[in-house]
Amino acid sequence: MSLDGFAAGPNQSLENPLGEGGMRLHEWAVATETWRAQHGLDGGEHNSDAEVIDQVTRDVGAYVMGRRMFGGGDGPWDENWTGWWGEEPPFHAPVFVLTHHPREPLTMRGGTTFTFVTDGIESALDQARKAAGEKDVSIAGGASTVQQYLAAGLLDELLLHHVPIVLGAGERLLENVGDPTLEPVEVTASPTVTHIKYRVAHTR
Amino acid sequence: MSLDGFAAGPNQSLENPLGEGGMRLHEWAVATETWRAQHGLDGGEHNSDAEVIDQVTRDVGAYVMGRRMFGGGDGPWDENWTGWWGEEPPFHAPVFVLTHHPREPLTMRGGTTFTFVTDGIESALDQARKAAGEKDVSIAGGASTVQQYLAAGLLDELLLHHVPIVLGAGERLLENVGDPTLEPVEVTASPTVTHIKYRVAHTR
């Protein structure tokens, strides 16, 4: 998230899925050895940012993501679209994609499966929990999906990466989420980003 | 600042100068021994939040604030208004108040003086620098004043207190500030707030 609260830049499009300037929110991650290895790339830094990425991915047994994050445009599916990530996506786990349009599951290389869920966020979470077993479920994004789970009181933790840039416009992360009670429980300061894990108190 | 980027709540008024819910942004400070002592009150916690307040006030030789932070309503001055803080304000130093309306300086108890500056932010900063001597100048607020100094490239450091609440509406801290280059240089994590000091790179 930028310091002014944006999780993506303005004018998101198929060509520019993170919006104008939105890639600047992810530079710290792309620079790490951990992110690069997950994406089949060599090199990168082994630093505190890399540790954070490792921490938040190693115990994840399943992911939930929104239709926009999976991509391929709105409306009924173009079956040729299998996500932004190529033949071996970086998730290496079951991924449940929220959508209004049914589609058969996709099995990718490296242990990633995409299952398309049309009956709502609670159903997707239930399915992800079953798939994850003892491990965690991660709400991968985008902003609207995080908002829906936070507003519904279904998040236990919220991990924010405070990136020291001002985007000025774009998609806000924390709007339409009500008034959640958050408690900072772990802060990791790197030279470029401040990672803050919040515990979400369940009040409902 | 709230997690959604607000420095004050909505519907600010003379009766409710921080806006609805805006006081929640300051509870961490009011709970500290340091803040309470500066305001002539007993008690309070001696914790990492108190240390942060001590750090950012002990080397300050002069303050600059906006007209709204000083208060008293818009337009020509009601000379009976001498600020929100009573006879002994918590600044204990010269304070330069940005305004469009001339007014004679005020000398308060405890070393605080209020000087009213009508010829702009650079003039106020120059006067504050001279008054501060070897010590620092602090831009006390509010949001609009911080924005003007940040946009003009006149801040060396920006200290943000990330308060884990979502206000949903109010006055945003970081808008109309351009695209400053910020570098986190010091992070203090307390159980309630994360304080991040950013160095502002001067690019102009």
Side-chain angles (χ1 to χ4, degrees), chain A:
Chain A
M1 183 170 77
S2 67
L3 290 186
D4 49 349
F6 296 105
N11 302 316
Q12 293 175 63
S13 64
L14 284 180
E15 293 71 35
N16 198 2
L18 302 172
E20 293 164 16
M23 192 58 215
R24 294 169 63 199
L25 292 169
H26 298 267
E27 283 169 4
W28 66 272
V30 175
T32 64
E33 189 183 54
T34 313
W35 189 95
R36 298 181 66 83
Q38 288 169 355
H39 289 74
L41 299 168
D42 291 332
E45 314 260 347
H46 185 76
N47 53 19
S48 57
D49 296 325
E51 298 275 354
V52 167
I53 295 178
D54 182 50
Q55 256 188 47
V56 299
T57 51
R58 74 180 162 218
D59 293 327
V60 174
Y63 292 86
V64 175
M65 71 172 62
R67 163 82 190 252
R68 287 271 171 83
M69 180 167 172
F70 183 77
D74 294 331
W77 290 102
D78 169 358
E79 303 275 340
N80 292 319
W81 181 265
T82 58
W84 304 101
W85 304 277
E87 294 181 359
E88 185 170 338
F91 306 102
H92 311 293
V95 178
F96 295 86
V97 180
L98 298 163
T99 172
H100 296 290
H101 300 277
R103 179 172 177 180
E104 290 300 309
L106 287 173
T107 300
M108 311 297 287
R109 284 195 203 150
T112 298
T113 57
F114 292 113
T115 301
F116 301 90
V117 179
T118 56
D119 53 351
I121 65 169
E122 302 212 11
S123 169
L125 181 57
D126 285 344
Q127 294 180 54
R129 276 193 178 129
K130 283 196 188 80
E134 297 292 304
K135 301 182 93 177
D136 295 332
V137 172
S138 167
I139 309 300
S144 162
T145 300
V146 173
Q147 286 163 14
Q148 290 174 58
Y149 280 102
L150 184 55
L154 294 170
L155 289 191
D156 297 316
E157 292 179 346
L158 177 67
L159 176 62
L160 294 184
H161 313 285
H162 292 271
V163 183
I165 63 173
V166 177
L167 281 181
E171 187 174 13
R172 293 195 184 279
L173 182 60
L174 294 175
E175 61 182 9
N176 307 317
V177 297
D179 185 9
T181 301
L182 303 168
E183 180 193 351
V185 290
E186 192 176 342
V187 176
T188 305
S190 88
T192 48
V193 185
T194 308
H195 312 276
I196 309 180
K197 184 193 283 183
Y198 297 93
R199 196 178 65 80
V200 185
H202 284 207
T203 49
R204 65 165 208 169

